[in-house]
Amino acid sequence: MGLFVRIKEFFSRRKWQPVLGIALGSGGAKGMAHLGALKAFEEAGLEFSVVTGASIGAIVGALYAKGYSSSDMVGIVEGLNRKEFSKNLRPLADLEFAEIFLEQYLDGDFTSLKKPFAAWVTDAKTNTGLCMQEGKLARVLTASAAIPPFFRGVEIDGKKYYDGAFTNAVPADACRELGADFVVGIDLAAFLQTEERGRVARFLGSAIEMLTPVKYTEDSRSRGYSSSDIMLRPDLKEYSATDISRAAMDAMFEAGYVEAKKQIPAIRKAIEEVKHAHKKAPHGRGTKE
């Protein structure tokens, strides 16, 4: 091979780029902040190749993995009949209504998605978390969002599952298992007031004890932080997971947008550090085995 050919090959060789992943956390209606964050990332030209989520984060994540933009998702939310949805927010409601709604946008199974995606659920019998990557997509998403006492558990292949937040509220570790080299997490409950957190725990604790064996694990929140390179923490303490008023949803969207915009410089810097570490690693194998 001649010198010119070698030089051309050297400069045309594609530089290694880390696989970017995003882990979207649980939070019910607070998931509007996810849409705001995605809008900010779109404006900045940041695209994520691997997606995971728990609860509302799983639903938003699946839509993103399908190819919907943040504007598309806002349109879906605006098309939701809020009054009809509110009627289903009662103890032990069946999530069939949500599954039917989701099938309009996420029909089929996981193979219909354009990006690798996984939804985190909690096994009702063992109280252990599970990363789901196959099956009927809309059914799995409702299982990931089935928080008692509002909703019944969702049955899949003879087993019952509940909200993934009980065991992994921001499944960043699952994102890495799917191949992400760099993970951005979004925690929707980072600024939940201590007093409110206590009330929620007491309320859900007594209800869950009566209705299901599911309970929060000790690391349900911390594991997301340990596996994320950057964790976004939009300030949503003024809002609840069931607040679906237009004013609240607009404000939560804005909170997510502002937080992502603020963190984009840090995200870009951290990505460059990962690239640099990979370049310096022996044989270009990167920073992970």
Side-chain angles (χ1 to χ4, degrees), residues 53-90:
S55 196
I56 188 61
I59 294 172
V60 173
L63 289 167
Y64 182 77
K66 183 75 171 181
Y68 290 98
S69 67
S70 60
S71 296
D72 294 332
M73 293 183 225
V74 169
I76 291 172
V77 173
E78 290 178 345
L80 179 67
N81 188 324
R82 290 183 176 85
K83 288 185 178 180
E84 191 64 30
F85 183 83
S86 297
K87 291 179 182 178
N88 289 286
L89 290 177
R90 61 183 188 278

Side-chain angles (χ1 to χ4, degrees), residues 1-10:
M1 185 182 295
L3 177 62
F4 176 76
V5 175
R6 288 179 183 274
I7 293 174
K8 182 179 180 181
E9 184 182 74
F10 175 81

Side-chain angles (χ1 to χ4, degrees), residues 176-248:
R176 291 197 182 280
E177 289 173 7
L178 262 64
D181 300 300
F182 183 92
V183 179
V184 173
I186 304 182
D187 182 5
L188 301 180
F191 291 96
L192 189 62
Q193 295 174 343
T194 303
E195 182 181 349
E196 181 184 355
R197 193 185 297 271
R199 289 201 306 270
V200 171
R202 287 193 297 273
F203 172 67
L204 290 181
S206 60
I208 292 168
E209 186 175 352
M210 292 186 294
L211 302 173
T212 81
V214 179
K215 59 183 179 181
Y216 287 100
T217 57
E218 289 185 3
D219 65 344
S220 62
R221 304 212 66 81
S222 61
R223 63 189 295 178
Y225 280 79
S226 62
S227 295
S228 296
D229 293 282
I230 298 284
M231 181 67 79
L232 271 60
R233 305 168 74 239
D235 189 349
L236 303 169
K237 63 175 176 290
E238 300 300 322
Y239 309 98
S240 72
T242 57
D243 194 343
I244 58 174
S245 69
R246 182 58 184 265

Side-chain angles (χ1 to χ4, degrees), residues 130-144:
L130 178 66
C131 182
M132 285 198 167
Q133 304 174 54
E134 58 182 25
K136 184 181 179 183
L137 191 55
R139 174 65 59 84
V140 172
L141 295 177
T142 57
S144 183

Side-chain angles (χ1 to χ4, degrees), residues 115-189:
K115 301 174 185 286
F117 167 75
W120 196 269
V121 299
T122 301
D123 188 307
K125 185 175 182 179
T126 64
N127 207 110
T128 56
L130 178 66
C131 182
M132 285 198 167
Q133 304 174 54
E134 58 182 25
K136 184 181 179 183
L137 191 55
R139 174 65 59 84
V140 172
L141 295 177
T142 57
S144 183
I147 184 167
F150 297 112
F151 304 117
R152 298 177 188 174
V154 175
E155 189 172 306
I156 300 175
D157 296 332
K159 293 184 177 181
K160 188 173 289 187
Y161 298 97
Y162 282 97
D163 199 304
F166 286 100
T167 48
N168 198 354
V170 186
D173 49 348
C175 210
R176 291 197 182 280
E177 289 173 7
L178 262 64
D181 300 300
F182 183 92
V183 179
V184 173
I186 304 182
D187 182 5
L188 301 180

